[in-house]
Amino acid sequence: DQQVKQNSPSLSVQEGRISILNCDYTNSMFDYFLWYKKYPAEGPTFLISISSIKDKNEDGRFTVFLNKSAKHLSLHIVPSQPGDSAVYFCAARGGADGLTFGKGTHLIIQP
Amino acid sequence: GAVVSQHPSWVICKSGTSVKIECRSLDFQATTMFWYRQFPKQSLMLMATSNEGSKATYEQGVEKDKFLINHASLTLSTLTVTSAHPEDSSFYICSASSGTQLGLFFGSGTQLSVL
């Protein structure tokens, strides 16, 4: 049973527009959520995180929103740039365990 | 930011041989290290958690006798895939935590291909 779900395998966005990547989770014990960016054959790179006690965290072009009641979080990238093209993983943490990842969304930024 | 070095970045081996992957935290002491594997178009799946000086905790379905993890120091953890078979071919990634930012620092990964 997948506890972290990213239902969109891919997303295509025009350069300069907003990219919105979505993530749903089922485990109410998760208390910390992270977004990672990953290029092929490389390890993930941390982007931004949010604690379950917050509903928004912003860092430059990246903003993460958390809706606890809906068990939903989203990553907004604005404006989208060509270098943002990558696979984005949503991850969640519960207690001292390792991270649980979604399957990823391949973001393609079109010129 | 913190750096985690993982070696080798890729390895090809014959079926039945063993392969060791190293994960080093270069500028901090990693009290906990995690090992993940990723199959093509799949998510990163946690395999095991290791704390320095103690036995690793394996996730359900991961064979501890096949995937040997050693975390003998605060800067080094190793994953040994014993008697590798083609189905073990995967992308293996480690992450290291100092305890303050859990799992935030990843190695660059190791692509294992077993012939």
Side-chain angles (χ1 to χ4, degrees):
Chain A
D1 181 35
Q2 218 179 339
Q3 297 187 64
V4 178
K5 298 178 183 178
Q6 292 176 260
N7 292 319
S8 299
S10 67
L11 175 67
S12 184
V13 175
Q14 203 162 16
E15 182 179 356
R17 300 283 186 114
I18 183 171
S19 295
I20 301 176
L21 297 106
N22 293 303
C23 178
D24 297 292
Y25 63 96
T26 57
N27 189 341
S28 57
M29 298 301 291
F30 288 143
D31 61 359
Y32 197 63
F33 303 89
L34 308 94
W35 284 94
Y36 288 87
K37 177 180 180 180
K38 186 180 180 298
Y39 295 112
E42 293 185 10
T45 303
F46 170 72
L47 275 178
I48 193 170
S49 63
I50 189 168
S51 165
S52 60
I53 62 173
K54 295 187 175 181
D55 55 18
K56 178 183 176 181
N57 188 25
E58 190 173 353
D59 183 3
R61 296 187 298 115
F62 303 94
T63 304
V64 56
F65 294 92
L66 175 63
N67 182 333
K68 278 189 69 178
S69 60
K71 292 191 176 66
H72 176 84
L73 65 156
S74 60
L75 173 68
H76 293 212
I77 306 172
V78 56
S80 300
Q81 298 174 355
D84 296 330
S85 295
V87 176
Y88 289 78
F89 287 95
C90 168
R93 185 197 77 180
D97 297 334
L99 299 173
T100 301
F101 286 85
K103 286 191 176 182
T105 297
H106 185 193
L107 177 64
I108 302 163
I109 304 302
Q110 310 227 338
Chain B
V3 177
V4 174
S5 173
Q6 184 174 341
H7 292 281
S9 53
W10 59 271
V11 58
I12 302 172
C13 69
K14 290 183 178 179
S15 185
T17 60
S18 294
V19 174
K20 181 185 281 188
I21 302 169
E22 290 190 351
C23 182
R24 293 180 185 272
S25 57
L26 298 184
D27 53 1
F28 68 100
Q29 293 186 323
T31 53
T32 306
M33 285 190 174
F34 302 90
W35 287 94
Y36 298 83
R37 65 188 296 183
Q38 183 187 22
F39 293 108
K41 298 184 180 180
Q42 295 293 317
S43 178
L44 292 113
M45 299 297 295
L46 179 65
M47 298 176 66
T49 302
S50 72
N51 293 294
E52 185 266 337
S54 61
K55 289 185 178 180
T57 302
Y58 290 81
E59 295 299 300
Q60 193 173 8
V62 178
E63 300 174 57
K64 61 180 181 181
D65 294 329
K66 182 169 186 61
F67 299 100
L68 300 179
I69 292 172
N70 183 286
H71 192 167
S73 78
L74 285 171
T75 59
L76 174 64
S77 176
T78 60
L79 167 68
T80 301
V81 183
T82 61
S83 187
H85 288 95
E87 57 266 28
D88 298 324
S89 298
S90 184
F91 191 59
Y92 293 85
I93 305 174
C94 70
S95 74
S97 165
S98 63
T100 56
Q101 290 181 300
L102 187 67
L104 285 178
F105 309 110
F106 283 81
S108 55
T110 298
Q111 181 65 52
L112 171 63
S113 297
V114 184
L115 304 178

